[in-house]
Amino acid sequence: MAEDPVNVNEYQELARQALPKMYYDFYAGGAEDQYTLKENVEAFRRIMFRPRVLIDVSKISLSTTILGYNVSAPIMIAPTSMHKLAHPEGEVATARAAAACNVIMIVSYSSMCTVEEVASSCDAIRFFQIYVYKRRDITAQLVRRAERSGYKAIVLTVDVPRLGKREADIKNNLGTVKLSLSFYDRMIQPQLKNFEGLLPTQVVSDEGSNFKAYADLTLDASLSWKDIGWLRSITKLPILIKGVLTHEDAIKAVEAGAAGIVVSNHGARQLDHTPATISVLEEVVHAVKGKVPVFVDGGVRRGTDIFKALALGAQAVLIGRPVVYGLAAKGETGVRRVTEMLKDELELTMALSGCPTIKDITRGHVITDRERLQSSL
C-alpha cells in the first residue's frame, strides 16, 4: 500500500505486512469459527442513520466527560496485550499517543511495560485493567501500584474463567510442546514484567499450549459477584466491569457497586457465537436505567460506528485492534493517526446528522435492522 491510509481499515493491511504472521494472527484472530469476530463489525453496518437537517452545525464539539474527566472525544483505548510485539516502544508509545489526542488509555494487565513505566511516560488519563487472580495478593498489589502511579479507575475483566479456543494461534503452534520454548519466551514471559517476583516466569504444559497453561495457573474460575465486594474493599478507585452482555448481568453489576459497565465479548476471542456487542448495547443501557455509564467495545472501525454506539446509549467506545494495527504500522504516529481518523469521521457524521455536540446525538438518529423489519410488516 504505497499511499498513506485514508481510513482505519487500511492500517490493518499495513500491520499484516509489518508483523510476523504469528504476531498478526495473535492480534487479529478470534475464537473458533470467528463468527462473532465478523459479526462485531457487520452488526454496525446494519444500523442506518436518520439525519436531521437545517440545524446549525457550523461548530462541532466532540468533547465529553468520562467518570468526570474531560476528554476530547468519546473514545478510549481498550486494554490489549503485549504492545512490544507490535512496536519496540510498546505501551509507552500508545500512552503518548493517547495523551497527544487527549483520550483515555486503559492499560492491560499484560502490558509489556510496567504500570510505572507507562505512567511516567506522559500525562495521559489512564485506567488499569486487571483480572482477579487465584492469589488475591497479586491482584491487590497490582491495584495498589496502579493507585500509586496515578491511574484513575480499575477495569475488571470478568469473561475469562477459562481461555477461549483461538484456532489461529493453535494453527501457528503458539507455545505448544511440539515447539521449543522460544515462542513462550517471546509471548508469555515478557508479559510477566508487571508480575516479577509474584508469579513463575515459566509455565510448561505436557499437552496443549503453554499460553493456556499460564491462564489456567493464574486466572480464577471460581470468581463470582461476591468478589466484586472484595475488590471494592481494597481500592478507592472506581471499578468498571468489562464483559457484560445481558440485562441480567448489567443489573447485578450495578447492585455489586460497579461505577460503570463495558459491554464486551472480549473482541470475539472467548465464546464464539455470542452476539455482536452493538446488538446488545441497548439491552444493557435499559437495564442500568442511567445509574452508571455504559461503554462498548468490539467492531468499531469508523466514526460512523462511534455515532451509532452513542445513539444507542453508550457514553464512549473502546478501540482495540485498530490501535494495535496503527502501532505496528507506524508506532506512536500510527496510534495518533488512527485516533484522529476516528475523531474526524465522528465529527463529519455529527455534522451531516445535525448534531453539533455529543449531547445532541439521540436514539432518534439511528434505526436498527430489527426496527426496519418491524416497520415493513
Side-chain angles (χ1 to χ4, degrees), residues 19-66:
L19 293 172
K21 182 178 185 298
M22 182 181 291
Y23 293 176
Y24 174 79
D25 287 351
F26 173 73
Y27 288 130
E32 298 188 354
D33 296 322
Q34 302 190 125
Y35 170 83
T36 299
L37 183 66
K38 302 179 185 74
E39 183 66 5
N40 271 352
V41 174
E42 291 298 324
F44 274 105
R45 297 176 180 173
R46 294 194 293 269
I47 300 170
M48 300 289 110
F49 292 116
R50 300 181 69 249
R52 303 298 300 274
V53 297
L54 296 177
I55 294 172
D56 182 358
V57 289
S58 57
K59 294 180 180 179
I60 301 291
S61 174
L62 277 61
S63 63
T64 188
T65 60
I66 296 175

Side-chain angles (χ1 to χ4, degrees), residues 63-207:
S63 63
T64 188
T65 60
I66 296 175
L67 297 187
Y69 297 100
N70 296 321
V71 291
S72 66
I75 294 171
M76 292 191 283
I77 293 179
T80 49
S81 295
M82 296 180 278
H83 286 196
K84 282 190 177 181
L85 298 182
H87 188 273
E89 292 184 293
E91 289 80 8
V92 166
T94 307
R96 288 199 299 257
C101 296
N102 188 22
V103 297
I104 293 172
M105 177 182 179
I106 305 175
V107 179
S108 170
Y109 87 105
S110 56
S111 165
M112 294 174 77
C113 302
T114 66
V115 294
E116 294 83 5
E117 288 170 341
V118 176
S120 64
S121 68
C122 63
D123 60 354
I125 301 169
R126 297 171 307 278
F127 297 171
F128 185 57
Q129 176 265 333
I130 63 164
Y131 294 93
V132 173
Y133 302 96
K134 291 178 180 178
R135 283 181 51 191
R136 296 293 193 264
D137 62 305
I138 293 175
T139 300
Q141 287 194 44
L142 289 173
V143 169
R144 286 195 290 269
R145 286 169 58 188
E147 285 183 323
R148 288 196 300 267
S149 298
Y151 289 71
K152 303 302 184 184
I154 298 297
V155 179
L156 175 65
T157 298
V158 295
D159 57 0
V160 190
R162 296 186 183 183
L163 199 67
K165 186 182 180 186
R166 301 164 190 179
E167 295 183 0
D169 292 350
I170 294 171
K171 289 178 179 178
N172 285 325
N173 291 323
L174 295 192
T176 63
V177 295
K178 293 179 181 178
L179 296 179
S180 71
L181 287 180
S182 60
F183 169 78
Y184 172 77
D185 293 338
R186 293 197 304 274
M187 291 288 281
I188 303 299
Q189 195 164 337
Q191 84 175 45
L192 297 180
K193 194 169 182 182
N194 275 320
F195 301 93
E196 288 178 355
L198 299 175
L199 285 172
T201 56
Q202 286 195 352
V203 180
V204 181
S205 175
D206 292 333
E207 56 183 50

